[in-house]
Amino acid sequence: MQSKKSKVLTVSIIVAKAKNNVIGKDNQLIWKLSADLKHFKKHTTGHFIIMGRKTYESMGKPLPNRTSIVITRNSEYSIPEGHYIVHDLQDALELTKKNHQEKVFIIGGGEIYKQALAFTDELLITEVDCHPEGDTYFPSIDPEDWKIVQKETHQKDEKNEYDFSFITYKRA
Ligand SMILES: NC(=O)c1ccc[n+]([C@@H]2O[C@H](COP(=O)([O-])OP(=O)(O)OC[C@H]3O[C@@H](n4cnc5c(N)ncnc54)[C@H](OP(=O)(O)O)[C@@H]3O)[C@@H](O)[C@H]2O)c1
Protein backbone atom coordinates (compact mmCIF):
# COMPACT_ATOMS: atom_id res chain seq x y z
CA MET A 1 0.00 0.00 0.00
CA GLN A 2 1.28 3.49 -0.83
CA SER A 3 2.30 5.72 2.08
CA LYS A 4 0.24 8.87 2.65
CA LYS A 5 3.23 10.64 4.24
CA SER A 6 3.25 14.30 3.15
CA LYS A 7 6.07 15.40 0.86
CA VAL A 8 8.95 17.40 2.23
CA LEU A 9 9.04 20.94 0.84
CA THR A 10 12.38 22.28 -0.36
CA VAL A 11 12.51 26.07 -0.03
CA SER A 12 14.83 27.69 -2.53
CA ILE A 13 15.82 31.34 -2.73
CA ILE A 14 16.67 32.58 -6.21
CA VAL A 15 18.35 35.98 -6.53
CA ALA A 16 20.75 38.01 -8.65
CA LYS A 17 22.97 40.12 -6.41
CA ALA A 18 25.95 42.37 -6.92
CA LYS A 19 29.23 41.82 -5.06
CA ASN A 20 28.07 44.46 -2.54
CA ASN A 21 24.72 42.60 -2.10
CA VAL A 22 22.68 45.25 -3.96
CA ILE A 23 19.67 43.70 -5.71
CA GLY A 24 17.59 46.68 -6.83
CA LYS A 25 17.03 50.39 -7.08
CA ASP A 26 13.76 52.36 -7.42
CA ASN A 27 11.83 49.05 -7.44
CA GLN A 28 13.69 47.82 -10.53
CA LEU A 29 16.55 45.52 -11.44
CA ILE A 30 19.76 47.35 -12.24
CA TRP A 31 21.52 45.28 -14.90
CA LYS A 32 20.88 43.68 -18.24
CA LEU A 33 21.78 40.00 -18.01
CA SER A 34 19.91 37.95 -20.55
CA ALA A 35 21.51 34.71 -19.30
CA ASP A 36 20.19 35.35 -15.80
CA LEU A 37 16.61 35.82 -17.05
CA LYS A 38 16.89 32.45 -18.83
CA HIS A 39 18.38 30.86 -15.70
CA PHE A 40 15.48 32.23 -13.62
CA LYS A 41 12.92 30.96 -16.11
CA LYS A 42 14.52 27.52 -16.35
CA HIS A 43 14.47 26.99 -12.59
CA THR A 44 11.09 28.51 -11.70
CA THR A 45 8.84 27.40 -14.58
CA GLY A 46 6.11 25.05 -13.37
CA HIS A 47 6.61 25.98 -9.72
CA PHE A 48 5.00 28.18 -7.08
CA ILE A 49 6.91 31.44 -6.58
CA ILE A 50 6.66 33.57 -3.43
CA MET A 51 7.30 37.32 -3.52
CA GLY A 52 6.69 40.59 -1.71
CA ARG A 53 4.08 43.01 -3.00
CA LYS A 54 6.72 45.45 -4.29
CA THR A 55 8.46 42.79 -6.37
CA TYR A 56 5.09 41.73 -7.77
CA GLU A 57 4.33 45.33 -8.74
CA SER A 58 7.77 45.72 -10.34
CA MET A 59 6.77 42.86 -12.70
CA GLY A 60 3.24 44.20 -13.20
CA LYS A 61 1.50 40.82 -13.59
CA PRO A 62 2.01 37.15 -12.72
CA LEU A 63 4.82 35.45 -14.63
CA PRO A 64 3.52 32.87 -17.12
CA ASN A 65 3.62 29.14 -16.29
CA ARG A 66 4.19 29.75 -12.60
CA THR A 67 1.81 30.19 -9.66
CA SER A 68 2.43 33.45 -7.84
CA ILE A 69 1.97 33.92 -4.11
CA VAL A 70 2.17 37.61 -3.17
CA ILE A 71 2.75 38.70 0.44
CA THR A 72 1.13 41.96 1.55
CA ARG A 73 -0.38 43.44 4.71
CA ASN A 74 -3.16 44.95 2.58
CA SER A 75 -6.35 42.92 3.11
CA GLU A 76 -7.92 44.36 -0.04
CA TYR A 77 -5.11 43.53 -2.45
CA SER A 78 -6.16 41.46 -5.46
CA ILE A 79 -4.41 39.39 -8.08
CA PRO A 80 -5.58 37.45 -11.19
CA GLU A 81 -7.35 34.14 -10.65
CA GLY A 82 -5.12 31.13 -10.17
CA HIS A 83 -2.66 33.11 -8.03
CA TYR A 84 -2.72 33.88 -4.32
CA ILE A 85 -2.47 36.71 -1.81
CA VAL A 86 -1.25 35.90 1.72
CA HIS A 87 -0.39 38.05 4.71
CA ASP A 88 2.80 36.42 5.93
CA LEU A 89 5.56 34.10 4.85
CA GLN A 90 4.39 31.14 6.95
CA ASP A 91 0.99 31.28 5.21
CA ALA A 92 2.79 31.28 1.85
CA LEU A 93 4.75 28.14 2.80
CA GLU A 94 1.62 26.41 4.20
CA LEU A 95 -0.29 27.17 1.02
CA THR A 96 2.52 25.68 -1.04
CA LYS A 97 2.48 22.49 1.05
CA LYS A 98 -1.31 22.22 0.80
CA ASN A 99 -0.88 22.29 -2.97
CA HIS A 100 1.47 19.27 -2.75
CA GLN A 101 4.53 21.10 -4.02
CA GLU A 102 7.97 19.56 -3.43
CA LYS A 103 9.85 22.76 -4.18
CA VAL A 104 9.04 26.47 -3.89
CA PHE A 105 11.04 29.50 -4.97
CA ILE A 106 11.33 32.69 -2.96
CA ILE A 107 11.93 35.34 -5.63
CA GLY A 108 12.32 38.51 -3.54
CA GLY A 109 12.60 41.26 -2.84
CA GLY A 110 14.88 42.42 -0.06
CA GLU A 111 12.30 42.31 2.76
CA ILE A 112 11.11 38.84 1.85
CA TYR A 113 14.61 37.40 1.35
CA LYS A 114 15.53 38.65 4.82
CA GLN A 115 12.52 36.96 6.43
CA ALA A 116 12.84 33.76 4.38
CA LEU A 117 16.54 33.02 4.84
CA ALA A 118 16.02 31.08 8.10
CA PHE A 119 13.49 28.77 6.41
CA THR A 120 15.53 28.21 3.25
CA ASP A 121 17.26 24.97 2.21
CA GLU A 122 18.99 26.13 -0.96
CA LEU A 123 20.28 29.40 -2.42
CA LEU A 124 20.53 29.92 -6.18
CA ILE A 125 22.60 33.08 -6.34
CA THR A 126 23.65 34.82 -9.50
CA GLU A 127 26.62 36.85 -8.35
CA VAL A 128 27.04 39.84 -10.62
CA ASP A 129 30.55 41.26 -10.87
CA CYS A 130 29.75 44.91 -10.06
CA HIS A 131 29.32 47.26 -7.08
CA PRO A 132 26.35 49.45 -8.04
CA GLU A 133 24.46 51.96 -5.94
CA GLY A 134 21.06 50.70 -4.89
CA ASP A 135 18.36 50.85 -2.26
CA THR A 136 17.61 47.15 -1.74
CA TYR A 137 20.01 44.46 -0.52
CA PHE A 138 20.26 40.70 -0.17
CA PRO A 139 21.05 39.81 3.47
CA SER A 140 24.62 38.70 4.11
CA ILE A 141 24.88 34.95 4.56
CA ASP A 142 26.94 33.25 7.24
CA PRO A 143 29.60 31.10 5.51
CA GLU A 144 29.39 28.68 8.48
CA ASP A 145 25.78 27.90 7.52
CA TRP A 146 26.16 27.38 3.77
CA LYS A 147 28.38 25.39 1.42
CA ILE A 148 28.84 25.91 -2.31
CA VAL A 149 27.79 22.79 -4.24
CA GLN A 150 27.98 24.23 -7.75
CA LYS A 151 29.56 27.27 -9.39
CA GLU A 152 29.59 28.28 -13.05
CA THR A 153 31.33 31.49 -14.14
CA HIS A 154 30.55 33.45 -17.33
CA GLN A 155 32.19 36.41 -19.03
CA LYS A 156 30.27 39.50 -20.09
CA ASP A 157 29.20 39.71 -23.73
CA GLU A 158 26.79 41.70 -25.90
CA LYS A 159 23.75 40.27 -24.01
CA ASN A 160 25.21 40.35 -20.50
CA GLU A 161 26.71 43.61 -19.31
CA TYR A 162 28.85 42.17 -16.45
CA ASP A 163 30.75 38.99 -15.69
CA PHE A 164 28.62 36.77 -13.45
CA SER A 165 28.53 33.38 -11.70
CA PHE A 166 25.67 31.00 -11.02
CA ILE A 167 26.32 29.67 -7.51
CA THR A 168 24.27 27.02 -5.70
CA TYR A 169 24.54 26.82 -1.91
CA LYS A 170 23.09 24.14 0.35
CA ARG A 171 22.90 24.16 4.13
CA ALA A 172 26.31 23.18 5.55
N1 LIG B 1 18.00 41.04 -8.06
C1 LIG B 1 17.00 40.20 -7.79
O1 LIG B 1 17.13 38.97 -7.93
C2 LIG B 1 15.69 40.75 -7.28
C3 LIG B 1 14.61 39.89 -7.08
C4 LIG B 1 13.40 40.44 -6.61
C5 LIG B 1 13.30 41.80 -6.38
N2 LIG B 1 14.38 42.59 -6.59
C6 LIG B 1 14.30 44.03 -6.31
O2 LIG B 1 13.97 44.21 -4.94
C7 LIG B 1 13.25 45.44 -4.81
C8 LIG B 1 11.95 45.16 -4.05
O3 LIG B 1 12.28 44.65 -2.75
P1 LIG B 1 11.69 45.31 -1.41
O4 LIG B 1 12.47 44.80 -0.26
O5 LIG B 1 11.61 46.78 -1.61
O6 LIG B 1 10.17 44.79 -1.40
P2 LIG B 1 9.54 43.32 -1.42
O7 LIG B 1 10.25 42.42 -0.45
O8 LIG B 1 9.37 42.86 -2.82
O9 LIG B 1 8.06 43.65 -0.90
C9 LIG B 1 7.89 44.31 0.34
C10 LIG B 1 6.40 44.27 0.68
O10 LIG B 1 6.01 42.94 1.02
C11 LIG B 1 5.02 42.97 2.03
N3 LIG B 1 5.56 42.34 3.23
C12 LIG B 1 6.85 42.20 3.61
N4 LIG B 1 6.93 41.52 4.78
C13 LIG B 1 5.66 41.22 5.14
C14 LIG B 1 5.09 40.52 6.22
N5 LIG B 1 5.85 39.98 7.19
N6 LIG B 1 3.75 40.39 6.29
C15 LIG B 1 2.96 40.91 5.31
N7 LIG B 1 3.44 41.58 4.23
C16 LIG B 1 4.78 41.73 4.15
C17 LIG B 1 4.71 44.44 2.27
O11 LIG B 1 3.68 44.76 1.34
P3 LIG B 1 2.56 45.89 1.62
O12 LIG B 1 3.32 47.18 1.68
O13 LIG B 1 1.64 45.78 0.46
O14 LIG B 1 1.92 45.52 2.93
C18 LIG B 1 6.01 45.11 1.88
O15 LIG B 1 5.86 46.48 1.54
C19 LIG B 1 13.06 45.97 -6.22
O16 LIG B 1 14.09 46.90 -6.51
C20 LIG B 1 13.22 44.75 -7.09
O17 LIG B 1 13.65 45.08 -8.40
C21 LIG B 1 15.56 42.09 -7.04
Side-chain angles (χ1 to χ4, degrees):
M1 213 168 76
Q2 226 182 358
S3 157
K4 289 233 167 135
K5 226 165 71 176
S6 60
K7 291 172 188 160
V8 176
L9 179 68
T10 299
V11 180
S12 186
I13 276 181
I14 187 161
V15 62
K17 70 167 193 72
K19 294 263 190 194
N20 59 358
N21 282 352
V22 164
I23 62 166
K25 188 178 182 191
D26 300 329
N27 215 27
Q28 289 179 355
L29 296 178
I30 37 187
W31 39 65
K32 288 202 167 50
L33 287 175
S34 160
D36 185 53
L37 298 179
K38 286 191 187 133
H39 171 82
F40 179 85
K41 187 173 176 187
K42 180 183 92 180
H43 283 283
T44 58
T45 291
H47 291 282
F48 279 46
I49 53 176
I50 297 173
M51 72 206 81
R53 189 265 307 163
K54 290 184 185 168
T55 292
Y56 175 66
E57 289 186 359
S58 76
M59 302 186 310
K61 57 181 187 221
L63 294 174
N65 306 315
R66 279 147 279 196
T67 303
S68 292
I69 304 180
V70 176
I71 307 179
T72 172
R73 295 185 177 88
N74 181 348
S75 56
E76 288 168 13
Y77 205 76
S78 70
I79 189 170
E81 214 180 315
H83 303 274
Y84 301 92
I85 298 294
V86 297
H87 302 296
D88 71 31
L89 181 64
Q90 286 311 322
D91 287 350
L93 296 175
E94 282 308 314
L95 181 63
T96 308
K97 284 184 203 160
K98 268 191 209 144
N99 280 277
H100 313 293
Q101 300 296 301
E102 290 181 40
K103 190 162 197 174
V104 64
F105 289 90
I106 310 283
I107 69 157
E111 285 188 36
I112 299 301
Y113 287 139
K114 199 170 162 194
Q115 296 170 49
L117 195 54
F119 307 100
T120 296
D121 304 298
E122 177 186 69
L123 305 172
L124 302 181
I125 296 184
T126 302
E127 191 168 87
V128 187
D129 196 358
C130 61
H131 293 78
E133 277 184 26
D135 55 23
T136 317
Y137 292 82
F138 192 73
S140 46
I141 60 167
D142 186 341
E144 299 267 301
D145 292 345
W146 297 95
K147 61 173 186 286
I148 294 178
V149 295
Q150 203 177 343
K151 181 167 180 176
E152 201 185 289
T153 298
H154 297 266
Q155 304 300 311
K156 68 179 169 187
D157 58 25
E158 67 284 354
K159 291 189 171 169
N160 298 286
E161 64 175 320
Y162 300 105
D163 295 348
F164 59 97
S165 298
F166 294 132
I167 310 175
T168 305
Y169 293 83
K170 302 265 191 201
R171 287 262 168 209

